[in-house]
Amino acid sequence: MGYNSFARFLLLLCVQIKQHNGARILGIVPTPSYSHQVVFQPIWTELALRGHDLTVLTTDPMNNSSLPNLKEIDLGFAYDLWNVKHNFTHMIRTAPDSLLKFIDRYVEMVDDIVDHQLAHPEVKALITNKTEHFDLLMLEYPYPSLTTFSERFACPFIGMTSLDAHSNIYDAVGNPSHPVLNPDFSLPFGGSLNFRQRVLSLLFQTYTRLYVRMYSYPKLESQVRKHFGDGYPPLGDIAIKVSMLFVNVDPIFHNIRPILPAVVRIGGGTHLKAPRPLPSALQSYLDNATEGFVYFSLGSNVKSADIDLQLRNTLLAAFAELPYRVLWKFENEDLPGRPPNVYISKWFPQQDILRHPNIKLFVTQGGLQSMEEAVYNHVPMLGLPFYADQYSNVDLMVGKGFGLSLNHADLEKEEFIKAILEVITNPRYRSRVIELVSVALDQPMTGLERAVWWTEYVLRHKGAKSLRSPAIDLPLYQYLLLDILGFFIAVVLVLIFSFILFIKIIIIIIRMFRQKSKVD
């Protein structure tokens, strides 16, 4: 038996032994986007290695044959709904026109995707199997109707996000969300807010809370009845039963905020993988880039092949004048007008490219996972944000001094070249990245270790009731101190009224004495 075969045998043996003490966990990550899925894959792997029996509903199965206790239900068909039926790329292009309209269309899209996923034969079989049971549900937020699985299997559940969480999600665990200190990541700004941004942030948080409670929950009740049947509690009641919230928050990319014990930060490069060799042709190409190279990618949702033709031509013209080689993640086979120094591919092993010693700069759309991969490999960035959290991520990057930002909508060749050369030639950007990473890594546990430990905590205690915030059960008027404020306002008004009445009485008495004096 070879070494690799023997090692695999030992791994399988350890897993089989641990399974006797393991729990049954149902994991659900419905978003058909690899950047969402990749955050949670290390958690599934580690929990499986620790002997737990997992069933995971995912659009991107890992198909890891070394983990026999990890069963994956492939929901990859949802990519057709995401890319074709709802045309998410077009949705992104029109997002700047109206954020509220984008949110409405996005919610409509994901509700439709979840409806199709719940109708999948293997998922239906899971729901209707009377003998099936799970000890824990781990669910990507925010998909309200899927929380019904926790009621179906009478088990606690952990909510998870691949980004930061919206204020209404933090509300479910009673965690405060200050609209100025912690604006929602969907807003096109971050860092220090001016007066206009503070007003918009407050209005947006108020709107999203009302939207979820008065529109989303009532609308999705019919989806619950359709796929799970009758007799389940309202979605709003299920939401506040969440045991813990795992948020993919990184100390580099997110503002400091108060965090309750029921909120666990799992960010900090949790999805980063061990280095692997690059394909030989690509390795040779980058090794021979004696002046260095620039890596350009807009991620998995923003397609370079679909960007505005004027923007594409601006990028091509700028890259042609650079003294560096350029890797461009481009989804088509051919890129018309491609200059000799530009190398295109539909896919790149991004993490290993960012580890190459010749890389000078990462031009990115500002996705959190991509930016983490660059930062933890000490690569400075130039941001071209398109939608959602990309704007706030890039704003924070600029504010913390490890990159620059440009507006793709009116990008000019000269300013693009100038920004590229500034970040590459000015050592302060790379120095700042190294400094921030050193601080971020100085922690007693990694994000993955925290996620696994707290998952098993919930399993050991069948929930996390001792960590439940009393703010969840507090009426809104009490939480906002409106009754106390009203009391003090009433006291002040009574005092003012009493003072005015007292003055009037004094004036009347004085007049009466004056009139009496005149009569006398």
Side-chain angles (χ1 to χ4, degrees), residues 220-387:
L220 291 173
E221 295 293 351
S222 61
Q223 190 176 79
V224 171
R225 289 191 295 273
K226 174 182 175 182
H227 295 286
F228 290 89
D230 297 319
Y232 289 93
L235 289 174
D237 292 348
I238 299 176
I240 60 175
K241 293 181 181 180
V242 60
S243 294
M244 303 204 82
L245 177 63
F246 290 176
V247 289
N248 189 31
V249 170
D250 190 300
I252 294 177
F253 295 110
H254 300 92
N255 288 334
I256 301 300
R257 74 186 306 152
I259 292 291
L260 293 178
V263 178
V264 178
R265 291 168 290 188
I266 64 171
T270 297
H271 72 289
L272 297 181
K273 299 178 180 178
R276 289 176 292 185
L278 291 169
S280 56
L282 182 59
Q283 181 74 50
S284 176
Y285 183 80
L286 298 182
D287 288 345
N288 292 324
T290 55
E291 298 297 322
F293 71 92
V294 173
Y295 176 51
F296 175 50
S297 171
L298 296 179
S300 56
N301 289 318
V302 181
K303 304 290 192 293
S304 289
D306 296 329
I307 61 175
D308 184 83
L309 184 59
Q310 182 178 346
L311 174 59
R312 185 197 299 182
N313 289 336
T314 300
L315 297 172
L316 287 168
F319 289 150
E321 296 186 17
L322 293 178
Y324 313 105
R325 292 185 176 182
V326 177
L327 295 188
W328 184 339
K329 180 180 174 290
F330 191 77
E331 293 76 21
N332 290 346
E333 296 288 346
D334 183 49
L335 175 57
R338 177 173 66 89
N341 66 325
V342 174
Y343 182 111
I344 66 168
S345 177
K346 294 181 179 179
W347 177 85
F348 283 112
Q350 181 165 292
Q351 292 188 25
D352 294 300
I353 284 173
L354 292 168
R355 292 186 179 105
H356 196 281
N358 288 343
I359 189 166
K360 298 291 186 182
L361 173 70
F362 180 24
V363 181
T364 173
Q365 90 286 9
L368 180 58
Q369 276 64 261
S370 290
M371 293 180 73
E372 280 191 334
E373 291 166 10
V375 163
Y376 286 97
N377 287 293
H378 301 164
V379 180
M381 284 168 280
L382 174 59
L384 297 175
F386 279 76
Y387 79 107

Side-chain angles (χ1 to χ4, degrees), residues 136 156 158 243-244 454-464:
L136 176 66
I158 295 173
S243 294
M244 303 204 82
W454 283 105
T455 297
E456 293 185 331
Y457 174 94
V458 173
L459 286 168
R460 287 194 297 270
H461 300 283
K462 297 180 173 55

Side-chain angles (χ1 to χ4, degrees), residues 117-281:
Q117 290 174 336
L118 287 171
H120 186 277
E122 289 187 76
V123 179
K124 288 178 66 176
L126 200 66
I127 296 172
T128 57
N129 187 345
K130 301 298 183 182
T131 62
E132 185 62 274
H133 83 280
F134 290 98
D135 302 301
L136 176 66
L137 168 67
M138 300 181 72
L139 167 68
E140 182 190 19
Y141 261 15
Y143 294 93
S145 56
L146 296 180
T147 60
T148 311
F149 275 102
S150 68
E151 295 292 321
R152 164 65 185 84
F153 295 112
C155 65
F157 76 99
I158 295 173
M160 309 182 299
T161 66
S162 61
L163 309 168
D164 197 358
H166 283 292
S167 55
N168 63 285
I169 296 176
Y170 278 115
D171 289 348
V173 292
N175 202 88
S177 298
H178 197 286
V180 175
L181 298 176
N182 307 107
D184 275 354
F185 65 79
S186 293
L187 292 168
F189 46 76
S192 298
L193 308 188
N194 58 38
F195 179 77
R196 175 179 172 274
Q197 292 169 337
R198 295 197 298 272
V199 171
L200 289 175
S201 181
L202 175 61
L203 292 175
F204 183 77
Q205 282 198 7
T206 304
Y207 172 81
T208 53
R209 286 182 169 113
L210 293 174
Y211 184 91
V212 169
R213 287 169 173 75
M214 301 180 68
Y215 175 73
S216 286
Y217 284 164
K219 175 189 172 186
L220 291 173
E221 295 293 351
S222 61
Q223 190 176 79
V224 171
R225 289 191 295 273
K226 174 182 175 182
H227 295 286
F228 290 89
D230 297 319
Y232 289 93
L235 289 174
D237 292 348
I238 299 176
I240 60 175
K241 293 181 181 180
V242 60
S243 294
M244 303 204 82
L245 177 63
F246 290 176
V247 289
N248 189 31
V249 170
D250 190 300
I252 294 177
F253 295 110
H254 300 92
N255 288 334
I256 301 300
R257 74 186 306 152
I259 292 291
L260 293 178
V263 178
V264 178
R265 291 168 290 188
I266 64 171
T270 297
H271 72 289
L272 297 181
K273 299 178 180 178
R276 289 176 292 185
L278 291 169
S280 56

